[in-house]
């Protein structure tokens, strides 16, 4: 049982973290049984993301017939935007092998952007995640706090699909929803492995208002006459 644990996780300017679990024979032989957290706090700092977020952790009372879990909620800043996150994941004991997927659901807000995710993340490889992702906001270009690539401006949007992020590739598959007055669906992928990011997409619409594509073709925001 951990009572009021206080943990600081941070990366330096080069992206090196202050946590190193090791690999292969150098990995510590950690064996976790049942772990309960009461009033825990984790602070995450990352200068490359201009991130400083403090999250509170709490293990709910276990109800017969249900698996132990861990609730979290926190606030801070991400890429200089006000940031909030809350959700629930598996109990800490689920991280017996840091290479196994950890199941969680979360809700995050940065400015006017709202993100809901239900899926898994690999603790030893945070960029390795997959699951269902719902996005809602005033402008897709404001997704920049969440997606490390500037996107063209759009009118208000609401999309849902399957997110897969591994290494330098982000994929948003089988997504559907609306952008402005247009419906939109398909798949998109961002490859950040090269000096110049590569974006590929295969999208379709059954009800398209051409004005909603202004940002994609280079029309300035708010200009619907071109």
């Amino acid at each position: 049982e951990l009572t009021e644990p206080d943990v600081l996780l941070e990366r330096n300017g080069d992206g090196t973290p202050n946590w190193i679990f090791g690999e292969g024979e150098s990995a510590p032989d950690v064996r976790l049984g049942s772990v309960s957290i009461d009033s825990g706090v984790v602070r995450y700092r990352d200068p490359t993301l201009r991130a400083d977020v403090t999250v509170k952790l709490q293990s709910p009372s276990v109800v017969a017939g249900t698996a132990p879990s861990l609730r979290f909620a926190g606030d801070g800043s991400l890429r200089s935007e006000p940031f909030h996150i809350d959700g629930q994941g598996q109990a800490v004991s689920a991280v017996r092998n840091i290479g196994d997927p950890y199941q969680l659901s979360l809700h995050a807000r940065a400015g006017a952007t709202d993100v809901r995710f239900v899926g898994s993340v690999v603790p030893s490889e945070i960029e390795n995640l997959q699951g269902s992702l719902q996005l809602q906001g005033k402008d897709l270009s404001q997704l920049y706090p969440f997606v490390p690539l500037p996107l063209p401006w759009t009118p208000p949007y609401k999309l849902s699909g399957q997110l897969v992020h591994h290494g330098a590739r982000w994929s948003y598959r089988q997504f559907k929803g609306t952008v402005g007055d247009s419906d939109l669906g398909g798949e998109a992928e961002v490859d950040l492995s090269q000096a110049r990011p590569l974006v590929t997409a295969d999208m379709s619409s059954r009800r398209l208002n051409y004005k909603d594509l202004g940002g994609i073709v280079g029309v300035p925001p708010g200009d619907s006459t071109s």
Side-chain angles (χ1 to χ4, degrees):
E1 296 181 358
L2 302 178
T3 302
E4 298 184 1
D6 194 341
V7 179
L8 172 63
L9 302 176
E10 59 183 353
R11 295 179 183 271
N12 63 17
D14 296 327
T16 303
N18 69 342
W19 66 92
I20 299 176
F21 296 108
E23 298 180 358
E25 295 182 357
S26 65
D29 186 16
V30 178
R31 299 181 183 276
L32 298 176
S34 176
V35 179
S36 176
I37 296 178
D38 182 25
S39 302
V41 175
V42 174
R43 184 180 181 187
Y44 178 72
R45 300 175 62 196
D46 187 337
T48 63
L49 296 175
R50 300 194 301 279
D52 190 343
V53 181
T54 299
V55 178
K56 296 181 179 180
L57 308 175
Q58 182 67 46
S59 298
S61 300
V62 178
V63 179
T66 63
S69 62
L70 181 67
R71 293 175 182 167
F72 54 88
D75 296 278
S77 60
L78 175 65
R79 297 193 188 275
S80 303
E81 289 274 357
F83 180 77
H84 171 82
I85 187 171
D86 61 77
Q88 181 168 311
Q90 294 175 279
V92 178
S93 57
V95 195
R96 289 186 173 89
N97 184 340
I98 60 173
D100 290 343
Y102 175 82
Q103 303 296 322
L104 80 160
S105 62
L106 65 83
H107 172 214
R109 293 194 308 271
T113 303
D114 188 278
V115 176
R116 297 176 186 271
F117 175 80
V118 178
S120 65
V121 59
V122 177
S124 63
E125 195 178 1
I126 297 297
E127 72 275 8
N128 186 345
L129 60 87
Q130 59 182 347
S132 64
L133 177 68
Q134 297 181 20
L135 302 171
Q136 185 172 356
K138 295 181 178 180
D139 182 344
L140 276 172
S141 67
Q142 295 178 2
L143 273 176
Y144 185 65
F146 298 99
V147 179
L149 179 74
L151 298 174
W153 70 267
T154 67
Y157 64 91
K158 186 175 183 180
L159 301 169
S160 62
Q162 296 295 314
L163 175 70
V164 177
H165 179 207
H166 188 270
R169 293 179 182 270
W170 293 77
S171 299
Y172 198 31
R173 303 170 180 172
Q174 300 176 337
F175 71 82
K176 59 182 179 180
T178 58
V179 177
D181 296 326
S182 305
D183 70 304
L184 192 66
E187 299 189 357
E189 181 176 281
V190 178
D191 184 353
L192 302 175
S193 62
Q194 305 299 320
R196 178 176 295 179
L198 174 64
V199 180
T200 57
D202 182 2
M203 299 181 290
S204 62
S205 176
R206 293 176 296 178
R207 186 183 66 257
L208 177 65
N209 185 333
Y210 74 93
K211 296 179 181 180
D212 297 331
L213 302 180
I216 297 177
V217 298
V219 176
D223 186 352
S224 60
T225 61
S226 300

